[in-house]
Amino acid sequence: MKTNFPASFSNRLQAQMGAEASLLLEALSTDSPTSIRINTAKFHAPVQLEKVPWSTNGYYLQERPSFTLDPLIHAGAYYVQEASSMFLEEVVRQSVDHSQPLRVLDLCAAPGGKSTLLASLLSKESLLVSNEVIKSRAEVLAENLTKWGAPNVVVSNNDPRDFDRLQGFFDLIVVDAPCSGEGLFRKDPNAINEWSPDNAHLCSDRQRRILMDVWPALKPGGVLIYSTCTYNPAENEQNIQWLSQQTELEPVSLSVDAGLNIREVQAANHVVGYQFMPHLVKGEGFFVCAVRKLDGDEWQAPRKDKFPLAPTGKKEQAEVAPWLTDERDYFQHYENILAMPQGDNPAWGAVIRELRIVQAGVLVAEVKKKNLVPAPALALSTIFKKDTFPAWELDLRQALQYLRKEEWAIDREKDGWHLMCYQQLPLGWIKRIATRFNNYYPLHWRIRMELPEDLTHSFLNHHA
């Protein structure tokens, strides 16, 4: 199907790429591939699907299913992520030692594709701060990270300039910058309507402000990874070239298999970037590069620094501690009991003190009238000890009914809290009372679409 692109976009590509521009424009008129990334902390079944060649756990699907009607995605078994952007894994592997404890910031993180990737890649001693400036999108980000289940994540809702309070703090900063969206033209037709040369220019200016605002938060020797979903040099390598003129940095070159058809982009000051183009790869338009900071001072923890949250009571701690596989420290924030890494954690304290926090660590339970209500995040966490609660294994229709926040009559089990599971993966909680139960699935997460008469099990089951 022929797509009508803005003339100014086509003309710029022609000037930028020459005769090759027609190949890119032709590719942009084809269907977008669908890809997912498996959460191996939860889902171990081998899948016989086409691999994304630059991703350890990325796979292509032959067609796009109804993800909403697959309980496995709600359980955090996988994430639907565009294939090209999964290359972030390779950039991280080659630019930092991710086996060591790192303090990492994903600055423009919603809806969560790159943050879930980072959460799976980083060591369990690392701290990932996943940030989104728009409050409504920050809530979506928190939901997706909760379902992914990684315990050492803080979700924040801050402007990039707010990170000036944490100077020299982060070992790695990922800036997936808001851009003109040229790489999404075949995936999102609205991106074509919203594109204009003026908008692209405004994006470039905003990207430079974002980079300069967050640069002080990177420690000397730390790495900044910059990415966009556009082909525009003014939003890509030229921005990093500009950053190199304002700061002290060195580009990080990657070893990339030539057979992957990932285009290396070079600019002045030896800036090196990597461009994905749909006529060359099975993925969308994507640009990424990495640079290492050469100047500045590293953050030092204050000698005397009280943690900004109060420890939870001994009684509550004794009750919740057996629910987790790892030993944790427990803090209380209003009625919420939070589990965080054990020991003196000045880095966690600094983040919680200086930023506007949406969630931190694992929300284990809520205190209600001296009783503990297990939290949805507990059920979905990768450090949750499932056998501490009775579990119900649901079939597909029951699981979807539960995710729609429905209730039904029952005649089984004892009263109290029960874990609802699908294919042994936790979905959330119910509380049984006599012959019925209360559904504690979060209201703002529930499935709103009607269930069809014929339901099909997850595509992952068919390829296992």
Side-chain angles (χ1 to χ4, degrees), residues 63-123:
E63 58 185 18
R64 189 176 184 88
S66 176
F67 291 112
T68 301
L69 297 180
D70 183 7
L72 290 179
I73 195 171
H74 301 279
Y78 64 92
Y79 191 95
V80 183
Q81 184 177 13
E82 197 284 306
S84 296
S85 66
M86 295 182 196
F87 189 68
L88 173 64
E89 175 187 344
E90 193 61 31
V91 184
V92 172
R93 288 184 184 278
Q94 294 194 36
S95 60
V96 299
D97 184 356
H98 66 91
S99 67
Q100 297 300 310
L102 298 174
R103 296 192 292 266
V104 180
L105 169 62
D106 186 3
L107 182 65
C108 311
K114 293 179 177 62
S115 282
T116 54
L117 186 155
L118 290 165
S120 293
L121 189 60
L122 298 173
S123 69

Side-chain angles (χ1 to χ4, degrees), residues 72-203:
L72 290 179
I73 195 171
H74 301 279
Y78 64 92
Y79 191 95
V80 183
Q81 184 177 13
E82 197 284 306
S84 296
S85 66
M86 295 182 196
F87 189 68
L88 173 64
E89 175 187 344
E90 193 61 31
V91 184
V92 172
R93 288 184 184 278
Q94 294 194 36
S95 60
V96 299
D97 184 356
H98 66 91
S99 67
Q100 297 300 310
L102 298 174
R103 296 192 292 266
V104 180
L105 169 62
D106 186 3
L107 182 65
C108 311
K114 293 179 177 62
S115 282
T116 54
L117 186 155
L118 290 165
S120 293
L121 189 60
L122 298 173
S123 69
K124 66 178 183 178
E125 298 83 14
S126 294
L127 165 61
L128 171 61
V129 178
S130 185
N131 180 75
E132 172 56 44
V133 66
I134 300 172
K135 189 174 188 305
S136 60
R137 287 170 56 82
E139 296 293 341
V140 173
L141 173 64
E143 176 185 341
N144 286 331
L145 280 166
T146 296
K147 291 177 177 178
W148 199 251
N152 289 1
V153 179
V154 174
V155 178
S156 62
N157 172 218
N158 285 82
D159 188 270
R161 63 176 175 269
D162 295 339
F163 290 89
D164 185 68
R165 306 166 193 162
L166 294 168
Q167 293 201 17
F169 184 87
F170 292 101
D171 301 281
L172 173 64
I173 295 178
V174 175
V175 180
D176 185 39
C179 69
S180 59
E182 296 170 359
L184 301 178
F185 276 3
R186 65 176 177 174
K187 187 177 180 181
D188 179 12
N190 289 328
I192 300 176
N193 300 327
E194 295 171 359
W195 186 93
S196 71
D198 287 343
N199 185 42
H201 181 73
L202 288 173
C203 286

Side-chain angles (χ1 to χ4, degrees), residues 317-325 330 385 388:
Q317 180 173 330
E319 185 172 348
V320 301
W323 298 352
L324 300 181
T325 58
Y330 297 90
K385 192 182 296 182
T388 54

Side-chain angles (χ1 to χ4, degrees), residues 132-421:
E132 172 56 44
V133 66
I134 300 172
K135 189 174 188 305
S136 60
R137 287 170 56 82
E139 296 293 341
V140 173
L141 173 64
E143 176 185 341
N144 286 331
L145 280 166
T146 296
K147 291 177 177 178
W148 199 251
N152 289 1
V153 179
V154 174
V155 178
S156 62
N157 172 218
N158 285 82
D159 188 270
R161 63 176 175 269
D162 295 339
F163 290 89
D164 185 68
R165 306 166 193 162
L166 294 168
Q167 293 201 17
F169 184 87
F170 292 101
D171 301 281
L172 173 64
I173 295 178
V174 175
V175 180
D176 185 39
C179 69
S180 59
E182 296 170 359
L184 301 178
F185 276 3
R186 65 176 177 174
K187 187 177 180 181
D188 179 12
N190 289 328
I192 300 176
N193 300 327
E194 295 171 359
W195 186 93
S196 71
D198 287 343
N199 185 42
H201 181 73
L202 288 173
C203 286
S204 179
D205 287 345
R206 178 171 56 175
Q207 291 152 358
R208 293 183 180 190
R209 178 186 73 81
I210 290 171
L211 287 169
M212 286 304 294
D213 282 348
V214 79
W215 186 255
L218 187 64
K219 78 174 191 181
V223 170
L224 182 141
I225 298 174
Y226 175 78
S227 64
T228 72
C229 54
T230 186
Y231 313 106
N232 184 8
E235 299 178 67
N236 293 341
E237 63 267 24
Q238 290 177 17
N239 272 344
I240 301 302
Q241 179 183 338
W242 173 86
L243 182 65
S244 72
Q245 295 166 353
Q246 317 301 315
T247 64
E248 294 293 325
L249 61 78
E250 64 180 10
V252 177
S253 296
L254 307 179
S255 175
V256 180
D257 184 350
L260 296 178
N261 290 325
I262 300 168
R263 177 87 29 101
E264 183 175 290
V265 179
Q266 293 195 351
N269 297 356
H270 306 291
V271 169
V272 181
Y274 302 88
Q275 182 78 61
F276 288 66
M277 296 186 178
H279 67 292
L280 297 176
V281 302
K282 192 173 181 179
E284 302 299 348
F286 181 66
F287 171 87
V288 65
C289 70
V291 297
R292 181 169 283 108
K293 187 176 182 179
L294 300 179
D295 62 349
D297 298 318
E298 186 169 351
W299 178 80
Q300 298 294 326
R303 291 185 178 180
K304 294 183 178 180
D305 187 26
K306 185 178 180 181
F307 198 81
L309 298 178
T312 192
K314 291 183 179 179
K315 175 179 176 294
E316 289 80 10
Q317 180 173 330
E319 185 172 348
V320 301
W323 298 352
L324 300 181
T325 58
D326 289 2
E327 292 186 356
R328 296 269 150 169
D329 285 340
Y330 297 90
F331 300 91
Q332 191 153 341
H333 183 61
Y334 297 101
E335 292 80 21
N336 295 324
I337 295 177
L338 307 175
M340 297 184 187
Q342 195 172 41
D344 185 21
N345 283 289
W348 279 74
V351 166
I352 292 170
R353 181 181 298 107
E354 300 295 346
L355 301 178
R356 186 185 304 111
I357 302 302
V358 178
Q359 66 183 36
V362 179
L363 174 53
V364 178
E366 183 180 356
V367 182
K368 283 191 174 181
K369 298 180 180 180
K370 298 184 179 181
N371 295 317
L372 295 186
V373 177
L378 170 68
L380 294 160
S381 174
T382 56
I383 60 171
F384 171 49
K385 192 182 296 182
K386 290 195 307 183
D387 58 7
T388 54
F389 289 86
W392 294 7
E393 181 65 25
L394 305 177
D395 63 27
L396 176 59
R397 184 167 292 277
Q398 288 174 330
L400 292 172
Q401 288 174 323
Y402 172 74
L403 294 169
R404 279 173 48 83
K405 204 169 170 57
E406 295 178 5
E407 299 173 4
W408 55 88
I410 54 174
D411 185 20
R412 56 176 293 185
E413 303 291 349
K414 61 182 180 179
D415 286 357
W417 294 104
H418 294 259
L419 188 65
M420 303 295 260
C421 299

